[in-house]
Amino acid sequence: MINKYRDLFNQQFTPEKYEAFKNDIAADFDYMPTFRMAESPFFISRELKQQLIDGCQDVIDLIKRDDFLKMTDKALELNTKVPNEDAHTTFLAIDFGICEEDGKIVPKLIEVQGFPSLFNYQSVLYDKFKKYYPFLEELTPFINGISPADYLTIIDDAIRNGHPAANVILLEIEPEKQNTKIDFYYCRRDLGIPIVCVTNIIKKGKKLYYKNETGTEIEVKRIYNRVIFDELDARKDLNLDFSFSDDLDVEWAGHPNWFFRISKYILPMLKGPYFIETTLLSDLTEIPQDLENYVLKPLFSFSGSGVIFHVKKEDIEAVKEKDLYILQKKVNYIPILQSPDGKVKVEVRVLCVWKKGDDSPTLLCNLARLSRGEMIGVKFNKDKDWVGGSLALFER
């Protein structure tokens, strides 16, 4: 998108430099991420940046509506409702595919989540790229011009809310087995909070505890929640001492209810140039004849789980819980990032934090995913290069 920087990067790129870049990340914790790290950032022009901001604002305008809770109460009825919901989400991740429409480049909303993403890893990724490509200092991954130090302060405030680090935990299901583990490690390094598995939580009355490295029980006052409920529901083997539906004396950094309220559930409610035709299956009056132009998605799955890309009529008819699925028009991703041997498709996830006391979320940073496959995602990009997780950089 910015030829000057794309040309510079491609001229300086070597496979050896890419290996050194990956090994540099792995050296921080003697751990190589299990997801593929893409070779390059995505350079975004001022025009595309403004389009992304405008698209995000349209999503935020919906979320801020006075009747938004009423509009999304059914999403909670269909799932696990957690007590003590706060006034608004803490985290917001808004995914746009970089597409072509009527011969023009336009971002199209693919997904939106009231849930945290790789907030700590992405800022480190920027530093690693700069180390091997110093000219990238001229660009920034931060949408609103903040410094890396300011960014970390905002993330720290959102996650800890002023509590001592020992009393704030990053909660996950078997965190040592998660693909996002590298982000957990940077979060623990930067904020000092422990990483705790749901099976290691101890409940006493309305309070929760975990044991630290010396075996001492420490009260949990705030939870940075990274648990995905469809994964939790599928893990019948897990033995938990508490339930998310319990009335607990604990704060949430990312209250679980917002994972359901701000999800694919709201996609049919969004209309405008940055949004895709999306219909809740229960609202579908007739099955389209051109199903090859649609994708069938479960509402509350994560990381592409359960998505049917080549939809057949019988796939739709087979869905029993039609309140839990959407039919979404396919979009035309445009191969836009110039690699040494062809162009690559891109998705950009805008990462936002809704600070306590603010009347609106703040757009902070981003992550990007590069793809040569039919869809963005690991299974569509096996054995390919210049694909995987990355970040977008903006002109200052």
Side-chain angles (χ1 to χ4, degrees):
M1 291 299 297
I2 310 175
N3 291 335
K4 169 187 172 184
Y5 294 113
R6 172 51 52 205
D7 292 345
L8 265 174
F9 188 93
N10 288 15
Q11 288 164 13
Q12 295 185 20
F13 175 83
T14 64
E16 293 76 19
K17 191 180 288 190
Y18 172 58
E19 289 302 315
F21 159 77
K22 289 193 299 178
N23 290 333
D24 197 351
I25 292 173
D28 284 344
F29 306 104
D30 193 23
Y31 166 74
M32 181 70 78
T34 50
F35 58 84
R36 192 180 193 283
M37 292 175 278
E39 284 83 342
S40 171
F42 176 49
F43 304 122
I44 289 186
S45 67
R46 288 187 176 90
E47 180 182 4
L48 181 55
K49 177 184 177 182
Q50 188 58 53
Q51 289 178 307
L52 290 168
I53 291 171
D54 292 344
C56 288
Q57 189 57 54
D58 288 345
V59 174
I60 290 168
D61 287 345
L62 175 70
I63 293 168
K64 289 177 62 179
R65 278 178 50 165
D66 291 339
D67 59 348
F68 183 74
L69 293 182
K70 185 178 180 181
M71 292 165 64
T72 56
D73 276 343
K74 191 173 182 181
L76 297 187
E77 294 171 14
L78 295 167
N79 292 282
T80 302
K81 187 173 183 178
V82 179
N84 306 313
E85 182 178 327
D86 43 12
H88 55 71
T89 188
T90 304
F91 304 104
L92 188 60
I94 310 175
D95 291 2
F96 293 93
I98 307 304
C99 300
E100 183 178 36
E101 188 174 74
D102 300 327
K104 295 180 181 178
I105 293 169
V106 60
K108 288 286 186 177
L109 182 73
I110 304 299
E111 199 160 326
V112 56
Q113 301 160 1
F115 194 76
S117 191
L118 308 183
F119 280 99
N120 290 84
Y121 171 72
Q122 289 305 116
S123 62
V124 173
L125 188 59
Y126 174 50
D127 291 335
K128 299 294 188 183
F129 269 125
K130 285 192 299 181
K131 180 175 178 180
Y132 293 90
Y133 304 90
F135 70 88
L136 296 180
E137 183 69 47
E138 299 174 24
L139 303 163
T140 177
F142 304 117
I143 294 169
N144 50 9
I146 59 173
S147 70
D150 291 336
Y151 174 77
L152 192 57
T153 297
I154 292 169
I155 299 304
D156 183 62
D157 289 346
I159 293 173
R160 290 199 305 113
N161 193 30
H163 290 289
N167 299 115
V168 182
I169 62 167
L170 188 158
L171 188 67
E172 179 55 290
I173 301 164
E174 296 183 332
E176 71 282 358
K177 297 180 181 179
Q178 299 290 339
N179 277 336
T180 48
K181 180 166 65 170
I182 188 70
D183 182 64
F184 303 165
Y185 287 163
Y186 284 120
C187 183
R188 180 172 60 188
R189 184 196 73 178
D190 295 342
L191 308 186
I193 68 173
I195 304 165
V196 180
C197 179
V198 290
T199 57
N200 292 330
I201 293 292
I202 304 160
K203 183 185 175 189
K204 295 182 179 181
K206 294 178 67 172
K207 294 186 181 294
L208 300 181
Y209 300 83
Y210 73 97
K211 289 184 179 180
N212 67 9
E213 293 175 351
T214 65
T216 304
E217 287 188 4
I218 307 293
E219 183 181 350
V220 177
K221 295 187 177 179
R222 189 168 173 87
I223 295 173
Y224 180 31
N225 182 49
R226 301 295 290 263
V227 175
I228 303 298
F229 278 91
D230 63 330
E231 181 181 356
L232 184 64
D233 292 342
R235 292 295 305 275
K236 306 301 183 185
D237 59 313
L238 297 175
N239 183 24
L240 273 62
D241 197 36
F242 79 106
S243 169
F244 280 83
S245 59
D246 293 338
D247 184 9
L248 301 169
D249 185 12
V250 68
E251 294 177 9
W252 295 93
H255 192 285
N257 288 357
W258 292 102
F259 173 78
F260 300 116
R261 290 192 186 277
I262 304 174
S263 62
K264 288 188 279 287
Y265 186 82
I266 69 170
L267 295 184
M269 306 175 189
L270 291 160
K271 311 295 179 186
Y274 304 114
F275 307 123
I276 306 167
E277 176 193 317
T278 305
T279 308
L280 197 65
L281 275 199
S282 56
D283 293 336
L284 194 67
T285 54
E286 61 178 350
I287 297 175
Q289 296 297 311
D290 58 337
L291 280 177
E292 67 275 9
N293 294 320
Y294 289 85
V295 182
L296 183 64
K297 296 180 177 181
L299 283 177
F300 303 112
S301 68
F302 210 71
S303 298
S305 174
V307 173
I308 299 176
F309 190 67
H310 300 288
V311 187
K312 299 180 179 64
K313 184 180 179 183
E314 48 267 35
D315 294 324
I316 295 174
E317 293 172 339
V319 175
K320 291 183 172 61
E321 296 177 292
K322 290 186 166 47
D323 280 340
L324 298 179
Y325 281 78
I326 56 171
L327 192 66
Q328 188 176 59
K329 201 81 176 280
K330 287 180 184 175
V331 291
N332 182 27
Y333 284 84
I334 181 170
I336 193 170
L337 188 153
Q338 182 65 59
S339 78
D341 62 344
K343 291 192 174 181
V344 180
K345 302 170 188 174
V346 183
E347 263 186 21
V348 176
R349 173 176 294 175
V350 178
L351 305 180
C352 316
V353 164
W354 198 330
K355 294 186 249 180
K356 190 171 64 174
D358 282 5
D359 64 358
S360 190
T362 298
L363 279 55
L364 286 178
C365 191
N366 76 87
L367 65 80
R369 293 188 293 174
L370 312 187
S371 173
R372 293 182 190 257
E374 191 172 28
M375 285 183 70
I376 306 287
V378 174
K379 67 182 178 180
F380 296 96
N381 286 280
K382 288 180 180 175
D383 304 319
K384 295 180 172 67
D385 60 5
W386 285 65
V387 299
S390 187
L391 82 168
L393 296 176
F394 309 103
E395 296 175 276
R396 291 186 184 273

